[in-house]
Amino acid sequence: MLDETTLVQRLGAEAIGTAFLVFIGVGSVPATLIVNGKAPFTMADLGMISLAFGTIVVATVYALGHVGGNHINPAVTLGLAASGKFPWSQVPYYIGAQVVGAVVGATAIIGVLGMKASDVGLGIATYGDISWVQAFTAEFVGTFILVFTIFGVIHRKAAAGFAGVAIGLVVFAAIIPVAPATGASINPARTFGPMFVQQIAGGSVKWEQLPVYLAAELLAGVAAALLYGLLTRTPADRDTAGPGVDLGDPAGEPETAGVPRARSL
């Protein structure tokens, strides 16, 4: 139960979870490119990268979800706040912890793989020969699907115990069609952290693309949360829902700490 943890513990869990996500998920990109050498990048490679992201999400949900909710994605945190299921006062702290975790995770990639990781791009999300409108659309759609699914599986009427598996699978699935367009960041912290570390490492970074990613991902998080609320809201929900409702509890009992056990990327 989250009412048994302090804010510092929850922020620590967010930072660690996001660091794990970036190190394993993003780190799988330069690892693949280094191992492949001059061999062409194939759909099988994309599948392995998607699997890396999906499996680490599953792991962090079950390892850290009970500590801090395991948002590990500012789009999820913002969506929860916009839908009234997370206190706005804690949003800056959660997002700050997620960004710190992403930077730490990206730094660990270079620490493990060396500067070769930076030489092959460090797995930063970029888009090439497409318009910013197409890139925005790709990131919006991918993030929307992710956050919408998260709200579904953490709902009090959802089957208990399967949130981690469902979220990991949707991450795996969403990356496959979105990655060829934008790298499938679908997470503002995952977008910024590797870019920041790549800049420090002396690599090339297309900072002008950052606003496209952030706007698409954050707007998608809010839109998905609000739409899911419209689709599922009942008269009973109007009487009981609010910042203190724990969506991870099938009984819908309120958390005394006012922090829902949202689980996500």
Side-chain angles (χ1 to χ4, degrees), residues 14-15 18 74 93-105 188-190 192-193:
E14 283 297 302
T18 311
Y93 299 107
Y94 261 61
I95 292 179
Q98 292 156 1
V99 170
V100 169
V103 171
V104 171
R190 176 261 185 268
F192 176 79

Side-chain angles (χ1 to χ4, degrees), residues 119-224:
D119 294 340
V120 296
L122 198 61
I124 62 175
T126 61
Y127 58 90
D129 299 328
I130 62 173
S131 68
W132 71 266
V133 175
Q134 184 179 343
F136 181 96
T137 302
E139 285 297 311
F140 185 94
V141 170
T143 309
F144 185 94
I145 292 171
L146 169 63
V147 177
F148 191 87
T149 301
I150 288 167
F151 270 75
V153 299
I154 65 173
H155 193 275
R156 65 180 181 276
K157 294 182 180 180
F162 294 98
V165 175
I167 296 168
L169 287 175
V170 78
V171 169
F172 173 86
I175 288 174
I176 293 175
V178 177
T182 61
S185 173
I186 60 177
N187 182 331
R190 176 261 185 268
T191 302
F192 176 79
M195 292 178 74
F196 180 75
V197 173
Q198 177 73 333
Q199 181 71 63
I200 294 176
S204 175
V205 178
K206 297 180 178 179
W207 287 107
E208 69 276 8
Q209 295 184 0
L210 181 61
V212 176
Y213 282 88
L214 298 187
E217 293 155 1
L218 293 174
L219 287 173
V222 172

Side-chain angles (χ1 to χ4, degrees), residues 250-261:
E253 296 299 329
E255 289 270 16
T256 57
V259 182
R261 286 183 295 185

Side-chain angles (χ1 to χ4, degrees), residues 71 73-86 143-159 163 166-167 170 218 220-233 241-242 245-249 260-265:
H71 300 188
N73 186 333
V76 174
T77 301
L78 194 63
L80 286 167
S83 60
K85 296 175 175 63
F86 187 78
T143 309
F144 185 94
I145 292 171
L146 169 63
V147 177
F148 191 87
T149 301
I150 288 167
F151 270 75
V153 299
I154 65 173
H155 193 275
R156 65 180 181 276
K157 294 182 180 180
I167 296 168
V170 78
L218 293 174
V222 172
L226 296 181
L227 179 59
Y228 191 86
L230 288 174
L231 291 177
T232 59
R233 195 167 180 82
V245 174
D246 177 6
L247 297 186
D249 182 357
R261 286 183 295 185
R263 303 172 175 88
S264 86
L265 172 64

